[in-house]
Every structure is written in structure tokens, then in C-alpha cells.
Amino acid sequence: MSASAPVPELADRAAACAERLRAADEVLLASHIDADGLTSAAVASSALERAAIPHEVVFEKQLDAERIAAIAETEYDTVLFTDFGSGQIDDIVPHEERGAFTPVIADHHQPGDADTEFHLNPLLEGIDGGSELSGAGAAYVLARALEGDGDNRDLARLAIVGAVGDMQDQDGELHGANAAIVDDGVAAGVVEGGTDLAVYGKQTRPLPKLLEYASDVQIPGVTNDHNGAVAFLDGLDVDCRADGEWRRWVDLTADERQTVASALVKRAVASGVPADRIDDLVGTTYTLTAEPEGTELRDASEFSTLLNATARYERGDVGLAVCLGDRDEALTAARTLLRNHRRNLSEGLEFVKNEGTTTEEHVQWFHADDRIRETIVGIVAGMALGAGGIDPRKPILAFANESDTEVKVSARGSGALVRKGLDLSVVMREASQSVGGDGGGHVVAAGATIPRGEVEAFVAEADRIVGEQLG
Ligand code: C5P
Ligand code: C5P
Ligand code: C5P
Ligand code: ZN
């Protein structure tokens, strides 16, 4: 089996974790509340189920010392952490040492200082956890090692949704270990990767909306311009309507798609959109081939947003059920949550546009108070940084109230800043700890929770550390 391990560097760690899980009578599976965390849980839960290992699944917004202590209080001897655990390992190991439980960790975040025997994390083997393997990918590597009655390669589809949900397809496609998982999914017949227009909503959005809301590459007269988008489509030699209704991208033939895409690129060039941005209009689309055409579930990017719409609103159970195959009640509930999530994202972006950011020497920031839910303030910050309107050359810190005593902060940077030395996981951990909070994450996207009165001190410290990193 190890000969066909999807990520050979992780094969030994995966085998050790799998063996430990097989030895357990019962497992508590704890995972993170976002698209990657949900798909991690779905992959791990399916694999445990297939290996006939009894388990229960719980989701946590953030795994802090208090949550870990609560987990230690439960009766479970074995706890599988997915999409978190590495960053909190310093808080987990003391519980292990006093015999509360054995941790098994499948994660991709920056690890803390302690270590433990059953720890599967790409960063421990020189693989980038921010761009080459997601939490769901780590869970998939574990699932392959667990193999129950099959080889679990069909679960690659969920690992890909997780990677896309964590935006690991930054320059248009998945790389490294993620690409190996795509190959598994293709071989298993559950995934197809194809070059296509890199715009969100190809399965479900009517064409004018698809173009109007495609904000990652701004095309004057089309982006954020409903009439402009309609006029553009009406000017093409393609019938974009059927029976009076707008067609969607999936409804077009390959030739029609080619026509629309070329016209769009031509329009972008004519409007002076820079060449590197024009390249971003095209990328690899990951299609889940077993799902019905024209649904959110067929496209990895739309699927991941559907999952965020559940998990980030305390309905991780709904998203998990959809991942596990519920196409009935759970899917209906998820779609309702999605409408709400979309509205919140668009209101959040509007807020940032109207309020702007406060600029320090090396960072910029805004405080949404209660205007943006703290579980999505990071998504809003990332979209604002990517979609223009604010200076993309400085990392953004986005604050929102978490409780009466605490503030959540999400930090987002860019690939260009990371190449210059930016590491937001270090910034978030050190700046938050300096004011009595805690945080972590990835080089390009990280977060923290800090006491309410410490925002200013936190910004000053974060600004100083970013200055050091970029200097
Ligand atoms: O928990 P964590 O791994 O899930 O989340 C990663 C976060 O980082 C996601 O919200 C994702 O959108 C964000 N990200 C980003 N830019 C990247 C890579 C990830 O904003 N280039
Ligand atoms: O919600 P999620 O983090 O998965 O969103 C990933 C990307 O999908 C966003 O950065 C945005 O470009 C796009 N998106 C969108 N419209 C939505 C939701 C997401 O364009 N309603
Ligand atoms: O919450 P947000 O989307 O901003 O999180 C960005 C990244 O930072 C995620 O990978 C998340 O797991 C991580 N994070 C963390 N510790 C925190 C908050 C966020 O490691 N306290
Ligand atoms: Zn993740």
C-alpha cells in the first residue's frame, strides 16, 4: 500500500497514526469550523466508518486551552484532531502526559514547540502547509493509510474541496501534494481538472451575474456593472438566453464558452487590464463528476463556499451531512444558509469599501465591531485585499468583536509579500501573545483572539514585526 501512498514523505507518519486509530475502541474526532475543517472531518469520518472504528465528530471554532481541557474531560481515550491541533500542540501534550487521552493529529498549520508520536503535518516533512496540502489533504493521506473495505481514493474529491476552500489554488491550480491528490481523484473517476474561466459561480450563476460579480479580476464596464455585463453578453455571437432565461456557464457548449472567454479577455486587454491580471482570468477548475450539473456541489470552489456557509454559522453538522451524501434536508438547509452567507459577505465588503482602512507604516487595518461576524471577517478581508479598492501592498488586519471581553483579528497578505519575507502566522502568534491573547495560522493568512482593550497595542506590535520581516 505504501508504494501507492499519495504523499510518500508522509507515509510513515500516516501509517503510525492509522495503526493507533485501529487500536482504539472509540475515537473522538474534533475538527475546525470552515470548509477545510468540514471536509477534513468528512474524509476522516468516512475512513473511520469504513474501517469500522466507532467515533463521534465535534466542531470547534478555535481550539484553545479551554476547549482542549474540555475534550480531556470526556471519556475518549483517543482524540483525532483534523485541520487544527498542530498549532495547539503545546496545550495538548500536557493532557497526554497525564494520561487524559492520546492525540492523533492530521493538520497543516504551523506547529508549536512540543511534539507527539502521532502527528501528520506536511510542514514536518518540508511540504508547504499553506499551498501544497490542506487539512482535508492531511486527513486524506491518513484515510489512504487506514483503508477499510476499499482504498478510499474516492475521498480525494473532498480533499480537493478543502484545499480550494483554503485557497491553495492561488495561481490558478493546485500544486505539490495537492496535485497528487487530484491525480488520485482523477484515477478514481470522481474528479476532473480542466482549464476554464477562473470565475466563481460557473455552475449556478446566470451569465450576467457570473461576470458582474467576478471581482478577482476587475474588468471596467463589466465587473460590478450589471447593465455593462448584459450589454457585453448581448454583443456576442452566442445566444446567452434560453426560453427568456439567462443561461449559466455550464449550459454553454465548449465552443460557446470559448467565444465568451476570448471576448472577455479581449475586452480586458482593450480596457488596459495588466497582463498578469489577465492570466488570472483562466485557471484550473475542479469538477466533482458524480454531482449533478448546475449545482454548487459539482464545482470545488462553489462547494467550499456552501460549506463555509454552514460551518461559520455554527451549523457544521449540516455541512458535514452534505459532505457525507445527504442530498435532501441537509442540502436544502445548506442552500438557505448560503443565501445568508452571500448577503453577509457582500455587506461586509460594502462596509470595508465605505469605511476604508487605517494605514500604518507596514500594515493596514479596520475594525468592524459587530458589523461583520467574526467567523467571516477573514474571508471579507481576503476578498477586499484581492478585489481592489484597497492597497494590496500592505497586509490587512481585520478586527471584529468575538465576545464581551475578546476581539477576533484576521490577517491576510499576498504571495508577493510572502516572497519578501512576510509570515503572518508568526505576526499573529507573537503580537497576540504580547497582549495576552493567542493566535497562529499560515504565512499568508492567520488569525488571533485578543482582549478587547488591546487593539491599539496589538496593531503597534504587529506593525513592528511586519516591518522587521519585510525589512
Ligand atoms: O484554518 P485555515 O487553514 O483554514 O484557513 C485558511 C484561510 O486562509 C482561509 O480562510 C483562506 O481563505 C485563507 N487564505 C488566503 N489566501 C491564501 C491562502 C489562504 O486568504 N493565499
Ligand atoms: O467563501 P470562500 O472563502 O470559499 O470564498 C472563496 C472565494 O470565492 C472568495 O474569495 C470570492 O472570490 C469567491 N466568492 C464569491 N462570491 C461569493 C462567495 C465567494 O465571489 N458569494
Ligand atoms: O479565522 P481566519 O480565517 O482569519 O483564520 C486564518 C487562519 O489562521 C486559519 O488557518 C486559522 O486556523 C488560523 N488561526 C489560528 N489561531 C487563531 C485564529 C486563526 O491559528 N486564534
Ligand atoms: Zn485548513
Side-chain angles (χ1 to χ4, degrees), residues 271-336:
S271 317
V273 175
D276 60 327
R277 300 300 289 163
I278 287 172
D279 289 346
D280 293 345
L281 275 171
V282 175
T284 302
T285 294
Y286 299 97
T287 303
L288 276 60
T289 48
E291 303 294 347
E293 249 191 24
T295 68
E296 302 86 353
L297 306 173
R298 195 167 166 93
D299 176 88
S301 165
E302 291 196 58
F303 197 156
S304 78
T305 301
L306 182 77
L307 295 179
N308 273 324
T310 66
R312 298 196 187 240
Y313 299 81
E314 289 166 63
R315 292 309 309 273
D317 56 320
V318 170
L320 180 64
V322 172
C323 287
L324 295 177
D326 185 329
R327 296 291 174 265
D328 220 5
E329 269 168 58
L331 183 56
T332 304
R335 285 179 171 151
T336 302

Side-chain angles (χ1 to χ4, degrees), residues 13-215:
R13 290 178 184 275
C17 291
E19 197 177 307
R20 180 62 186 78
L21 292 170
R22 268 192 229 101
D25 293 328
E26 224 182 346
V27 173
L28 179 62
L29 166 53
S31 196
H32 192 205
I33 56 137
D34 65 1
D36 189 32
L38 274 192
T39 46
S40 299
V43 168
S45 176
S46 299
L48 289 169
E49 179 85 36
R50 292 169 184 182
I53 302 169
H55 63 281
E56 185 197 346
V57 184
V58 292
F59 291 102
E60 305 286 351
K61 187 155 72 179
Q62 208 59 61
L63 191 64
D64 54 19
E66 206 178 310
R67 295 308 309 152
I68 297 165
I71 285 171
E73 286 303 305
T74 64
E75 280 157 25
Y76 292 93
D77 295 330
T78 309
V79 182
L80 171 58
F81 296 96
T82 58
D83 196 35
F84 56 25
S86 295
Q88 299 77 20
I89 202 161
D90 297 352
D91 288 324
I92 291 173
V93 166
H95 292 287
E96 176 179 22
E97 283 169 352
R98 67 177 177 83
F101 62 82
T102 303
V104 178
I105 302 173
D107 189 9
H108 68 130
H109 292 93
Q110 217 43 256
D113 300 321
D115 206 1
T116 187
E117 195 180 347
F118 310 108
H119 190 186
L120 172 59
N121 184 320
L123 291 156
L124 299 170
E125 301 296 344
I127 297 170
D128 186 349
S131 65
E132 295 181 310
L133 194 69
S134 70
Y140 175 76
V141 171
L142 175 60
R144 288 291 314 276
L146 259 176
E147 50 177 9
D149 43 13
D151 64 8
N152 284 332
R153 283 193 310 177
D154 60 309
L155 300 176
R157 70 191 196 285
L158 293 169
I160 291 160
V161 172
V164 170
D166 263 10
M167 296 176 62
Q168 299 205 334
D169 57 344
Q170 273 299 299
D171 44 8
E173 62 178 337
L174 293 169
H175 301 277
N178 280 324
I181 297 176
V182 172
D183 291 343
D184 266 13
V186 171
V190 293
V191 172
E192 269 170 18
T195 304
D196 203 341
L197 192 66
V199 162
Y200 178 88
K202 291 194 290 288
Q203 291 290 329
T204 60
R205 282 184 171 162
L207 286 166
K209 280 210 156 149
L210 181 78
L211 301 183
E212 176 189 349
Y213 294 150
S215 57

